[in-house]
Amino acid sequence: MNDASLFLYVAAATLSGQNDNHDDSNDDSRDDNDQRGTGIREVLAPEQVKLKPPPLYRVVLLNDDYTPMEFVVAVLRQFFGMNAETATRVMLKVHTEGKGVCGVYPKEIAETKAIQVNEHARAAEHPLLCDIEVDD
């Protein structure tokens, strides 16, 4: 018998529980969960871990005295998918209250949107600022 055949024989004997060199009828070392003749032990499912959702962040536009209102509405529509009415409402809130919420997202998405808006405003030579805040 060559090495490969011996390996297959031993593996098969182990899986079927038929090891010629070992009488396991009086073997106290076997696990109580071991199913006789199969070599398979009962596996317990891992404890379920409760995952909490990631913290959310508000993307906010900050008011300035130079950026045209039409540009702010266009930004809100382009980067946040708002319709004209919602974008106008948020733009007026930015204008009258100093800042307005554009959306609430997980941190990475909020950061990306703020960067995109700031880069777009700089490219258009407007001082519009977009930032993120932890959502309560």
Side-chain angles (χ1 to χ4, degrees), residues 40 58 62 67 77 101 119:
I40 299 173
R58 292 187 297 261
L62 305 174
T67 304
R77 295 188 73 187
V101 177
E119 287 177 351

Side-chain angles (χ1 to χ4, degrees), residues 86-102:
T86 304
T88 302
R89 191 176 320 116
V90 172
M91 178 272 301
L92 289 173
K93 185 169 180 121
V94 171
H95 183 69
T96 59
E97 298 178 21
K99 70 179 181 179
V101 177
C102 306

Side-chain angles (χ1 to χ4, degrees), residues 30-36 38-44:
R30 289 183 69 141
D31 189 354
D32 290 338
N33 294 329
D34 192 11
Q35 298 173 3
R36 296 277 180 204
T38 63
I40 299 173
R41 295 181 183 204
E42 181 179 331
V43 177
L44 299 176

Side-chain angles (χ1 to χ4, degrees), residues 49-83:
V49 177
K50 284 272 194 176
L51 297 177
K52 62 181 182 178
L56 297 177
Y57 290 78
R58 292 187 297 261
V59 179
V60 295
L61 281 180
L62 305 174
N63 189 37
D64 65 75
D65 294 332
Y66 303 101
T67 304
M69 292 180 181
E70 296 80 16
F71 182 80
V72 175
V73 170
V75 163
L76 291 167
R77 295 188 73 187
Q78 179 179 348
F79 293 99
F80 299 97
M82 295 181 184
N83 61 32

Side-chain angles (χ1 to χ4, degrees), residues 107-122:
K107 185 175 184 178
E108 293 79 14
I109 295 173
E111 288 175 335
T112 300
K113 288 193 174 282
I115 290 169
Q116 289 174 334
V117 169
N118 289 332
E119 287 177 351
H120 181 70
R122 295 307 151 265

